[in-house]
Each structure stands twice: as C-alpha cells, then as structure tokens.
C-alpha cells in the first residue's frame, strides 16, 4: 500500500471511530424485583461490576438488607425506583456486617434511617412517595433484564 493508501485508510478508520464515539450508548438496565439480601461480599462485587460497566438499576420490588448497599455503590443517576420499588433496611446477623452496611450508605440515607428508628431486627421500609425524595422515579417500566 502506498503512502496515499495508508493515509486514506487511516482517515477512514478515524471517521469510523469518531462515528462510533458519537453514537449514543444504551447502558444495560437491570431490574431488582424481589431481593432479600445475601452475602455482603457478593453484593459488593456485583455493584462494583455494575459501576464499572455503567449499568443502570431499576428497583421494581423489595430490595432488602445487603441489596440496599446498591445505594452507596452506584451513582444515584444510575438508580431509579418504580412505584412498587422499596428498600428494606435492618440489622445484619453479625455486627461487622451491620457496620459494613452502615458505612455503605450515603449521609442522607443514614439521617433518614436514624429519624426512622435506626437499624433494628425489624425491617424499616423506604417506599413511595418518600423514596422519591432520594431517588428518581423510573420513566420506563419496560424490563430489559431481570435480576432477583
């Protein structure tokens, strides 16, 4: 290939890359429909992967215990809540896990929890309409993928 051929090919590649970068990306949206918690380390790893991948999360049902740590791991712009969505907060089985849960929550959520009795063995529910003081309402109820 001549020097002119290389320049032409490089120009075509540059235009193609610019077009790809200008194309709006569609981030994946994961629904949380009925999640009652589980292993703190697996949730931390999952939320970290979602953050790296730019995944959006739609809270479309109960999200309890360790599931609630999504609040501290993802940007709020990446979390929306349907009218059926709700967060259930409670003490974990082990004090060190409860401490990790507490550390994961942003200050405004900690204030809300404290005003509502703090973490106890009973679930404290944050739901509509109050939840919309902290999180945006989902605009589109279609499900792209499901996780529970």
């Amino acid at each position: 290939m001549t020097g002119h051929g290389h320049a032409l090919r490089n120009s075509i590649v540059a235009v193609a890359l610019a077009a790809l970068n200008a194309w709006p990306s569609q981030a994946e949206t994961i629904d949380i429909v009925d999640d009652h918690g589980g292993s703190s380390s697996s949730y931390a790893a999952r939320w970290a992967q979602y953050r790296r991948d730019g995944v959006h999360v739609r809270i479309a049902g109960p999200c309890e215990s360790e599931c609630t740590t999504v609040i501290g791991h993802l940007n709020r712009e990446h979390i929306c809540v349907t009218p059926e969505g709700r967060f259930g907060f409670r003490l974990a089985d082990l004090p060190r896990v409860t401490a990790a849960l507490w550390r994961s929550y942003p200050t405004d959520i900690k204030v809300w929890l404290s005003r509502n009795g703090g973490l106890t063995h009973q679930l404290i529910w944050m739901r509509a309409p109050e939840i919309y003081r902290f999180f945006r309402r989902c605009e589109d109820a279609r499900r792209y993928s499901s996780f529970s």
Side-chain angles (χ1 to χ4, degrees):
M1 190 177 277
T2 65
H4 178 68
H6 284 292
L8 180 60
R9 186 193 70 196
N10 290 343
S11 294
I12 291 170
V13 169
V15 168
L17 288 174
L20 285 174
N21 286 333
W23 193 266
S25 64
Q26 179 66 34
E28 180 181 10
T29 299
I30 302 291
D31 281 352
I32 296 186
V33 179
D34 191 23
D35 192 320
H36 301 284
S39 163
S40 295
S41 59
S42 66
Y43 278 88
R46 181 178 305 134
W47 304 146
Q49 184 65 48
Y50 286 1
R51 185 177 56 246
R52 282 191 297 276
D53 294 346
V55 170
H56 292 243
V57 172
R58 181 184 299 114
I59 307 299
C63 172
E64 300 173 21
S65 299
E66 289 81 0
C67 177
T68 63
T69 61
V70 68
I71 294 168
H73 287 275
L74 296 184
N75 292 328
R76 293 217 186 156
E77 305 85 54
H78 286 222
I79 300 171
C80 72
V81 181
T82 69
E84 299 80 23
R86 59 195 177 277
F87 290 112
F89 302 93
R90 70 172 158 227
L91 288 172
D93 293 334
L94 300 172
R96 67 177 173 75
V97 177
T98 297
L101 286 172
W102 188 257
R103 282 192 307 273
S104 75
Y105 301 139
T107 301
D108 60 341
I109 300 300
K110 290 177 185 176
V111 168
W112 182 87
L113 285 166
S114 296
R115 289 182 179 160
N116 285 276
L119 296 177
T120 68
H121 292 288
Q122 297 296 316
L123 282 168
I124 300 171
W125 289 103
M126 178 189 283
R127 60 181 82 203
E130 187 172 29
I131 202 167
Y132 299 126
R133 290 181 35 224
F134 302 95
F135 302 94
R136 67 184 175 84
R137 184 179 177 133
C138 300
E139 297 173 9
D140 185 355
R142 287 180 296 148
R143 297 182 194 277
Y144 296 96
S145 176
S146 194
F147 171 78
S148 53

